[in-house]
Amino acid sequence: KNELAGPFKIGIIPTLSPYIIPLFIGEFSKSYPLVDLHIEEMKTENITQALEADEIDTGILVTPLHHQQIIERKLFNEPFHIYASKNHLFHKKKQININNISFDDIWLLNEGHCLRNQILNICKIHSKKNSNVHFESGNLETLKNIIDKHEGYTLLPHLATLDLNANVKHKLKNFTGPVPAREVSLVHARIFLKEKFIDALEKVILNNLPKSITSHKKKITTIEIY
């Protein structure tokens, strides 16, 4: 009958799952009711290992991986924004130049998160953080809450900013061009038996991306951060 049916396993990194899963899960499950969808949050390294071991069918993560055994299907480029406390120097600025980013007062995800490495690459950090508090979180929501109630700043990917409360949106600052961005892709092993599944998933995700993601490419120049 040419219908999609059976188990389909997806691994997705934690800094994407809260924002991408809600975009596609409803339409996908309705369009393909015979697919038994399993989604698990995993770090990038664990996704690549699970793909190699045939434990999952596809991954949603940040590329490039530079992995010869994995195929990458680019979905979109996601720009970054500054999220700064109300008493931070960045809060007084309308836009931030990427060259002004430093390690002072920045809050980071803990080691093992690819987003941490991307932010470190943006900052080009070579010095130690000038603070007597050393805390690194496993999720972006914790970092935002610390900044709301304390001080400092962090970098947020665009999808993480769409549902910000109106009371805190003034803490969000854009970069002047070129804007740092990360490349988000679907990935799968080269020997792949469920191509129709991933074709369907790719189509549903692309059809449900917010306009601010699909249109930004025409309006701003981005530099991809890995």
Side-chain angles (χ1 to χ4, degrees):
K1 296 181 180 180
N2 201 30
E3 291 182 325
L4 294 185
F8 187 56
K9 299 179 181 179
I10 302 172
I12 183 170
I13 58 175
T15 57
L16 283 171
S17 61
Y19 317 110
I20 288 189
I21 292 176
L23 294 180
F24 75 82
I25 190 66
E27 181 176 330
F28 190 90
S29 60
K30 183 183 295 185
S31 300
Y32 307 102
L34 300 181
V35 175
D36 187 13
L37 196 60
H38 298 262
I39 306 174
E40 181 179 351
E41 283 191 357
M42 308 169 72
K43 293 182 179 179
T44 298
E45 181 181 0
N46 301 123
I47 290 177
T48 57
Q49 291 173 350
L51 287 172
E52 291 176 315
D54 199 28
E55 295 172 348
I56 62 174
D57 298 303
T58 188
I60 304 175
L61 41 65
V62 173
T63 51
L65 297 176
H66 304 294
H67 195 300
Q68 294 184 351
Q69 302 306 316
I70 292 179
I71 301 294
E72 301 172 4
R73 297 191 184 194
K74 179 178 175 180
L75 295 171
F76 57 89
N77 281 347
E78 183 181 20
F80 285 96
H81 304 271
I82 292 285
Y83 189 75
S85 62
K86 60 184 179 180
N87 57 347
H88 194 275
L89 177 64
F90 288 158
H91 189 266
K92 301 176 183 179
K93 299 179 178 293
K94 292 183 178 180
Q95 291 185 314
I96 310 297
N97 189 292
I98 192 172
N99 294 321
N100 294 331
I101 300 299
S102 71
F103 207 8
D104 296 333
D105 302 323
I106 194 170
W107 296 98
L108 297 171
L109 294 175
N110 53 26
E111 291 186 9
H113 290 273
C114 62
L115 182 56
R116 170 194 172 93
N117 295 331
Q118 293 152 20
I119 292 176
L120 291 177
N121 288 337
I122 291 172
C123 298
K124 293 180 169 50
I125 292 167
H126 300 289
S127 60
K128 293 185 178 180
K129 187 177 180 180
N130 184 22
S131 172
N132 64 333
V133 179
H134 305 278
F135 174 79
E136 296 175 353
S137 173
N139 67 78
L140 293 172
E141 296 305 314
T142 302
L143 298 184
K144 287 192 292 185
N145 288 334
I146 289 175
I147 292 166
D148 289 341
K149 295 177 174 58
H150 186 50
E151 59 185 19
Y153 79 99
T154 193
L155 270 68
L156 296 179
H158 183 73
L159 290 176
T161 69
L162 297 182
D163 293 327
L164 285 177
N165 189 293
N167 295 330
V168 299
K169 282 196 173 181
H170 64 280
K171 299 177 182 178
L172 200 63
K173 306 296 176 180
N174 294 327
F175 282 97
T176 58
V179 177
R182 60 178 182 173
E183 178 183 276
V184 177
S185 300
L186 277 174
V187 300
H188 59 82
R190 287 190 175 274
I191 301 175
F192 189 67
L193 302 178
K194 296 183 179 179
E195 188 169 0
K196 290 184 178 180
F197 283 77
I198 199 168
D199 287 344
L201 178 61
E202 180 180 26
K203 182 179 179 180
V204 171
I205 292 175
L206 292 176
N207 286 345
N208 288 279
L209 287 176
K211 290 183 178 180
S212 53
I213 285 287
T214 57
S215 64
H216 90 273
K217 189 174 181 181
K218 301 177 182 178
K219 296 180 179 180
I220 61 174
T221 301
T222 60
I223 52 173
E224 294 181 9
I225 305 297
Y226 310 122

